[in-house]
Amino acid sequence: MRITSFMIFDQLTRSLQRNLEKTSVANAKLASQKKMDKPSDDVIAVMRAMDYKLNINFNEQYKRNINEGINQLEFTEKIMNSVSESLMRAKELTLSAASGALNENDRMTIAKEIAHIRDHLLNLSNTRFRGRYIFSGFKTETPSFDSTTFVYNGDNGKINIPIDKGTSVPINVSGIEAFTYGGISFAKILDDIRVALESNDKSAIISSLSYLDNAINQVVDVTTDIGARLNRLDDQLSRLDDSTINFRSLLSETEDIDLTEVVSEIVRAQTALESLRASSARILSQSLMDFLK
């Protein structure tokens, strides 16, 4: 088979075109820092990348949920600490009033402070966080306790936040849990103590101490539970951070170029192009001389 000048020229043209395409593709990768310019470049890799991105997005949403939950639970924890301090002060006053060393006037003075503590507890029970009553269950637009009857107006609804696939944690505490014991609100317990003090009813004053003890224990239980939830959210936040780092690493391995490899590819392609250009010039020059002869 005779090799014609046209065949040589055609082969050189195709080699040049292939190397130009390699150079162009490598430069595009270098510019975008990505292995794939379009899905058809590597369908399986694109699908893996989409899955990694989806998981990263899920993790970021779970982290936002957790941070919101932590904010509300920490706020609730502070409220419960104030409740505990108020009840402890009320117990201290009631113990003092139960002493036989105090007279009626002394108990009237204590009754006034008990009334202040009652009002403070009532205000705490109707606390709002970001415009919502946090102790009213699902009825976040309704004050938790009636300011006159001290009756609970909320429900036992648990507001759960997703923190992982198929996993959620409640971020609220109902007023029944936080501010009542045995169906009686803490404000009502203190109001009954106030009445007993104003009536100088020593027997009723002594009896009320057990109610205060139960209320204090109730608050301790609720605060402990809140602390456990906060620990769980903190742990989950750390796990999600680790998971996101892992997915980002996998995504980078799937999508991002190996800079050294791409630069080497460009250099090889350019070297091949220079060689082809030099070869083309010699071959075409020789062909022209043969033609002239």
Side-chain angles (χ1 to χ4, degrees):
M1 178 179 174
R2 183 169 177 271
I3 306 299
T4 65
S5 296
F6 175 78
M7 292 172 65
I8 294 172
F9 179 75
D10 182 59
Q11 181 64 35
L12 287 171
T13 301
R14 278 183 284 158
S15 295
L16 284 168
Q17 186 175 2
R18 282 196 300 271
N19 279 279
L20 283 170
E21 287 176 354
K22 287 181 181 179
T23 303
S24 176
V25 169
N27 278 313
K29 288 180 180 179
L30 187 62
S32 67
Q33 300 290 301
K34 300 297 179 184
K35 294 178 183 178
M36 298 161 289
D37 183 48
K38 52 187 180 297
S40 58
D41 291 342
D42 190 337
V43 175
I44 294 176
V46 169
M47 290 177 65
R48 281 203 305 267
M50 289 176 62
D51 184 58
Y52 297 147
K53 290 176 182 177
L54 189 62
N55 279 286
I56 290 170
N57 289 337
F58 277 138
N59 282 356
E60 292 304 315
Q61 182 58 60
Y62 291 138
K63 285 163 67 176
R64 285 192 290 272
N65 294 346
I66 289 171
N67 284 322
E68 179 66 19
I70 287 174
N71 289 336
Q72 179 162 330
L73 284 171
E74 285 181 341
F75 181 77
T76 305
E77 188 177 44
K78 290 179 182 178
I79 297 298
M80 297 311 299
N81 287 335
S82 294
V83 172
S84 180
E85 291 171 4
S86 297
L87 289 173
M88 291 297 290
R89 176 56 181 164
K91 181 180 177 181
E92 179 184 340
L93 290 169
T94 304
L95 279 170
S96 175
S99 169
L102 298 185
N103 57 37
E104 184 176 350
N105 288 333
D106 294 330
R107 292 190 177 97
M108 286 293 291
T109 300
I110 292 174
K112 291 178 182 179
E113 187 172 351
I114 289 291
H116 286 305
I117 296 174
R118 175 204 62 198
D119 293 341
H120 180 57
L121 281 178
L122 189 62
N123 288 333
L124 291 175
S125 69
N126 288 326
T127 297
R128 287 191 287 185
F129 180 75
R130 294 181 179 168
R132 298 171 298 186
Y133 291 97
I134 61 173
F135 296 110
S136 294
F138 290 139
K139 300 167 71 173
T140 56
E141 300 299 318
T142 303
S144 306
F145 287 87
D146 187 279
S147 59
T148 303
T149 64
F150 315 121
V151 172
Y152 183 56
N153 293 321
D155 57 33
N156 288 321
K158 291 291 185 183
I159 300 174
N160 293 288
I161 56 165
I163 62 169
D164 205 347
K165 293 177 182 177
T167 305
S168 61
V169 170
I171 61 170
N172 70 311
V173 178
S174 74
I176 293 294
E177 298 172 281
F179 290 92
T180 72
Y181 184 83
I184 305 173
S185 70
F186 297 164
K188 180 65 168 64
I189 291 172
L190 290 183
D191 196 57
D192 289 343
I193 294 173
R194 175 193 63 80
V195 171
L197 288 165
E198 291 177 346
S199 303
N200 199 30
D201 188 342
K202 187 177 176 181
S203 176
I205 294 170
I206 294 173
S207 297
S208 66
L209 287 169
S210 61
Y211 289 96
L212 285 174
D213 285 336
N214 290 331
I216 291 168
N217 291 334
Q218 176 78 4
V219 171
V220 169
D221 290 342
V222 170
T223 306
T224 301
D225 178 64
I226 291 172
R229 291 190 225 174
L230 283 169
N231 288 336
R232 184 179 180 187
L233 292 180
D234 284 335
D235 289 344
Q236 179 62 10
L237 199 59
S238 296
R239 282 195 290 270
L240 288 171
D241 283 336
D242 292 341
S243 174
T244 297
I245 290 171
N246 182 51
F247 281 127
R248 290 192 187 282
S249 176
L250 291 170
L251 180 62
S252 178
E253 290 176 10
T254 304
E255 281 191 331
D256 297 344
I257 61 170
D258 182 326
L259 188 59
T260 302
E261 182 181 335
V262 171
V263 170
S264 297
E265 187 178 342
I266 291 173
V267 171
R268 286 196 299 271
Q270 288 177 338
T271 301
L273 278 173
E274 291 300 323
S275 298
L276 281 169
R277 287 193 187 101
S279 298
S280 298
R282 288 195 301 272
I283 292 171
L284 291 175
S285 176
Q286 183 63 47
S287 297
L288 179 61
M289 292 298 296
D290 289 344
F291 176 75
L292 291 175
K293 289 179 181 180

